[in-house]
Amino acid sequence: MSFVFQLLREDEGMPPAVVFEDSTSPGFVPLWEEIGVYDALYNSDGKRAREVSRAVAFGVDRASQEAALTQLLPAGLTLEEAVRFLENVHRGCTTHPVAEVKTR
């Protein structure tokens, strides 16, 4: 099972459309907690993308600069994969700041 982060946008008279989606392993949870992005990722349903983008940007910086964080990851997961996911989420949030966050 993977963790999915989506951004939904509603245009007048149209059903919500997914404007961004990415997924990753739930094995990253200890890392997300350590770098302060857990709430922005897992507890953000219904928030606007602009409300979580700052926390995600901070997490990208921490994950990119602290190689010792690798010890929090289970075998088979890499810090590079975590950074890629966070960069994608941050890009989605800055591109679609008024979109609604949905996670599963």
Side-chain angles (χ1 to χ4, degrees):
M1 177 186 266
S2 64
F3 169 73
V4 178
F5 185 94
Q6 293 179 323
L7 295 175
L8 304 173
R9 186 161 176 185
E10 288 188 45
D11 290 325
E12 238 178 86
M14 302 293 289
V18 175
V19 293
F20 171 81
E21 179 176 294
D22 199 357
S23 62
T24 195
S25 169
F28 285 113
V29 166
L31 175 65
W32 301 153
E33 291 172 334
E34 179 66 27
I35 63 174
V37 299
Y38 181 87
D39 282 339
L41 295 176
Y42 283 84
N43 297 322
S44 57
D45 273 1
K47 291 185 179 182
R48 297 290 171 205
R50 68 174 160 250
E51 296 176 61
V52 300
S53 65
R54 184 177 216 166
V56 173
F58 180 74
V60 169
D61 289 344
R62 285 224 32 220
S64 298
Q65 297 171 2
E66 298 180 31
L69 293 170
T70 301
Q71 65 188 338
L72 298 172
L73 302 177
L77 296 180
T78 66
L79 212 45
E80 291 78 17
E81 182 182 353
V83 169
R84 179 211 52 83
F85 174 76
L86 291 176
E87 286 175 337
N88 286 345
V89 168
H90 183 255
R91 189 175 309 109
C93 288
T94 56
T95 302
H96 306 284
V98 297
E100 182 180 327
V101 175
K102 179 174 170 122
T103 61
R104 52 185 167 100

